C-alpha cells in the first residue's frame, strides 16, 4: 500500500473548508482510510484515539480545528464568540496532556482571535484570519521537517545502522517527519542506512507506522521488539538512535513515547549517540524539568487484550499503561531543531535558542 511522504499530509482541510480530512492512523498498515471531521467531539476523539497522532501533526490538526470551531461560532456577538472559542479550545486541549504542540497551536489561535476582536474586527473576519493561520502552521511544519532532515543528515554516515522508537515520520508531522526525516532524505541522496524500528509496545507505532513509511520509501528496515535494542548495540549494529519528542523541558529533559528513555540509557552504556529531533514548538519554556511534564495514562486494554484474539493475561491481573516517559537530558547527545543542532549544556543552548520567541 502506497504512502508518499513527499506529498501526503495526514491532515488537511476539505475544499469547502467545513471538514478536516485526516488519515485514520489506527487502521494502518492494512487500510488507508480517511476520517471527515467537523464537530468538536470528532476532533477530541480523533486525538484521543490516536487516529491523529504524533506531536507536530496534532499541532497542525489543532490549528485547523480552531479555525473550524471559529466558523461555527462566528454568528455570535464578539464576547460570546471569544468565550465559546476559548471553551472549545480548553476541551480540545484536554484530549491528551503530554505533547505540548496541542496546547501550543490552540493558544496560538486563541491569541490571534483575541487580538483580532480587540482590534475591532468582527467574528467573520477573525475566522478568516484563523483559517490563514492554520494554513501557516501547516506550511511551517513542512518547512520545519525539511530543515530538521538536513541538520540530522549532517550527523549521519552512509552505511549507518539506526535505531528508531515509535513513529516520528511523515505520519506524525507533515511530509518528511522529524526522527525519520534524515533517513528519508538520506535515502533520496543515495545513503544506505539500515534502520531497526522498535515495534513500540503497546500500540505498535514502530511496527505499524514507521515500518510502513520506511518500506514504502524503499529504506532497508527491520522491525525489532523493544527489548532487543541492547543486543543490537552490543553487537555494534547501531551507530545512532533517532527519536522524536512530545515536550522538551527548559533543561533538555524530553518526553517521548514510553520506552524512549530505556533506549537512551542503553545507548549511553554502549557509547551510541542518542539524538532527539523536534521543532521549537515542542520546547516548553514553562516546563522547567521533566518532572513537571504530565504523563498520559491510557486504557489498560491496550496492553492485555486489544491486539489479541484472547486476553494475554489472567483475569485479575493489573496493568499500568503510561504512554510516555522522560529521557533525562544527560542521556541526550544533541537536540536537532529546524534552526540547527543544540548541544549540552541544554539549559544554556535552549535558553539561547528561545531568546526573543
Ligand atoms: O502516542 P503517539 O503515537 O502520539 O506518540 C508519538 C510519539 O511519541 C512521537 O515520537 C512524538 O510525538 C514525535 S512525532 C514527530
Amino acid at each position: 500500500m502506497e504512502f508518499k511522504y513527499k506529498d501526503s499530509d495526514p491532515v488537511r482541510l476539505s475544499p469547502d473548508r467545513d471538514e478536516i480530512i485526516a488519515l485514520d492512523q489506527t487502521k494502518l498498515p492494512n487500510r488507508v482510510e480517511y476520517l471527515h471531521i467537523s464537530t468538536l467531539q470528532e476532533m477530541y476523539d480523533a486525538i484521543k484515539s490516536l487516529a491523529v497522532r504524533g506531536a507536530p501533526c496534532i499541532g497542525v490538526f489543532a490549528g485547523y480545528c480552531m479555525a473550524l470551531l471559529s466558523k461555527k461560532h462566528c454568528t455570535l456577538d464578539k464576547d460570546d464568540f471569544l468565550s465559546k472559542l476559548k471553551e472549545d479550545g480548553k476541551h480540545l486541549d484536554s484530549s491528551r496532556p503530554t505533547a505540548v504542540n496541542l496546547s501550543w497551536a490552540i493558544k496560538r489561535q486563541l491569541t490571534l482571535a483575541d487580538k483580532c476582536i480587540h482590534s475591532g474586527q468582527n467574528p467573520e473576519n477573525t475566522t478568516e484570519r484563523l483559517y490563514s493561520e492554520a494554513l501557516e502552521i501547516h506550511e511551517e511544519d513542512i518547512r520545519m521537517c525539511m530543515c530538521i532532515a538536513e541538520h540530522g543528515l549532517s550527523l549521519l554516515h552512509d552505511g549507518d545502522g539506526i535505531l528508531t522508537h515509535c513513529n516520528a515520520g511523515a505520519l506524525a508531522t507533515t511530509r518528511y517527519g522529524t526522527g525519520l526525516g534524515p533517513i528519508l532524505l538520506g535515502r533520496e541522496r543515495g545513503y544506505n542506512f539500515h534502520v531497526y524500528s522498535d515495534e513500540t509496545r503497546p500500540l505498535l507505532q514502530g511496527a505499524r507506522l514507521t515500518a510502513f513509511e520506511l518500506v514504502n520509501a524503499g529504506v532497508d528496515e527491520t522491525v525489532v521488539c523493544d527489548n532487543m535494542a541492547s543486543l543490537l548495540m552490543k553487537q555494534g549494529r547501531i551507530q545512532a538512535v533517532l527519536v522524536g519528542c512530545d515536550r522538551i523541558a527548559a533543561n533538555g529533559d524530553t518526553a517521548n513515547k514510553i520506552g524512549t528513555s530505556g533506549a537512551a540509557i542503553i545507548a549511553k552504556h554502549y557509547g551510541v549517540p542518542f539524538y532527539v529531533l523536534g521543532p521549537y514548538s515542542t520546547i516548553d519554556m514553562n516546563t522547567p524539568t521533566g518532572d513537571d511534564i504530565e504523563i498520559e495514562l491510557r486504557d489498560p486494554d491496550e496492553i492485555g487484550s486489544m491486539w489479541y484474539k484472547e486476553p494475554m493475561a489472567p483475569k485479575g491481573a493489573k496493568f499500568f499503561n503510561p504512554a510516555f516517559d522522560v529521557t533525562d537530558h544527560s542521556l541526550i547527545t544533541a537536540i536537532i531543531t529546524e534552526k540547527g543542532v543544540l548541544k549540552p549544556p541544554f539549559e544554556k543552548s535552549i535558553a539561547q535558542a528561545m531568546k526573543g520567541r
Side-chain angles (χ1 to χ4, degrees), residues 239-291:
Q239 281 66 53
V241 182
L242 303 188
V243 298
C245 46
D246 286 82
R247 190 182 297 246
I248 300 175
N251 71 343
D253 289 351
T254 296
N256 192 50
K257 179 53 55 195
I258 188 78
T260 303
S261 70
I265 291 166
I266 298 167
K268 181 90 170 180
H269 180 79
Y270 287 108
V272 174
F274 184 91
Y275 298 120
V276 168
L277 299 95
Y280 275 23
S281 55
T282 308
I283 299 174
D284 182 6
M285 295 307 276
N286 295 321
T287 297
T289 75
D291 292 343

